[in-house]
Amino acid sequence: MFDATTILAYRSKDKAVIGGDGQVTFGNSVLKGNARKIRTLSNGKILAGFAGSTADAFNLFDMFENILNEKKGDIFRSVIEFSKKWRSDKHLRQLEAMMIVLNRDHIYILTGTGDVVEPEDGQIAAIGSGGTFALSSARALAKHSSLEPVELVTESLMIAGDLCIYTNQNIKILEL
């Protein structure tokens, strides 16, 4: 895993939530603390988050949204097509980057090596350097609390921010 950010996505019965921290680092220096690494796509029907270089994020978000438009918002068909294009581009596949995309029905982790991973539980996914901290926290909170989805994602990212030096606690949240 590369030193990047922390993105956490959570799906409940009726909600989809994604959150990300705001820290941008270069080596061992913090360049910015309030970056926005998550966004809505497909007229607000899809949530997406990115871990990796900022310039790469814009390019990949745009590429994925174009595919979503071509596939009329079908998230499954879009992630498969996006994965093929990302992997087949000799420059893009070299990126140390990952994405999470989700709607109320599905959640996927995408990489430039062609991975399209739907988490085993279909409920929680995390990427970035603080991803394992956020994922562990979210699993524990989902199992042992009655937090609302937005609160669960926020608290899990705050815990990751306490533990990961590449993650801060300037949390941004989007929900469907």
Side-chain angles (χ1 to χ4, degrees), residues 51-66:
S53 150
T54 306
D56 299 333
F58 291 121
N59 188 21
L60 292 171
F61 277 143
D62 289 345
M63 189 170 113
F64 185 69
E65 187 155 40
N66 288 336

Side-chain angles (χ1 to χ4, degrees), residues 149-171:
V150 169
E151 295 170 305
L152 184 142
V153 169
T154 302
E155 289 303 316
S156 298
L157 287 168
M158 295 295 280
I159 291 167
D162 283 339
L163 301 171
C164 177
I165 62 171
Y166 297 102
T167 303
N168 71 12
Q169 295 179 332
N170 187 347
I171 308 300

Side-chain angles (χ1 to χ4, degrees), residues 34-154:
N34 64 347
R36 190 166 196 89
K37 304 167 191 174
I38 57 174
R39 65 165 58 170
T40 59
L41 303 172
S42 192
N43 298 316
K45 296 176 187 164
I46 306 286
L47 301 175
F50 183 86
S53 150
T54 306
D56 299 333
F58 291 121
N59 188 21
L60 292 171
F61 277 143
D62 289 345
M63 189 170 113
F64 185 69
E65 187 155 40
N66 288 336
I67 292 169
L68 271 170
N69 291 336
E70 289 171 15
K71 304 293 182 191
K72 297 179 175 48
D74 183 320
I75 192 170
F76 178 72
R77 290 177 53 220
S78 297
V79 297
I80 298 301
E81 182 66 26
F82 176 74
S83 177
K84 289 177 188 176
K85 285 187 177 186
W86 190 356
R87 183 184 169 119
S88 66
D89 185 294
K90 73 178 188 174
H91 298 291
L92 291 177
R93 74 172 169 244
Q94 302 302 316
L95 302 178
E96 288 189 357
M98 297 177 84
M99 286 178 65
I100 293 178
V101 296
L102 73 152
N103 62 13
R104 289 187 179 144
D105 300 316
H106 299 283
I107 183 169
Y108 299 101
I109 298 171
L110 310 171
T111 73
T113 57
D115 297 317
V116 175
V117 178
E118 188 166 20
E120 190 171 319
D121 65 5
Q123 186 179 16
I124 307 169
I127 57 173
S129 3
T132 54
F133 301 119
L135 180 64
S136 298
S137 301
R139 285 182 177 167
L141 290 171
K143 185 174 183 176
H144 300 290
S145 78
S146 57
L147 291 175
E148 289 295 316
V150 169
E151 295 170 305
L152 184 142
V153 169
T154 302

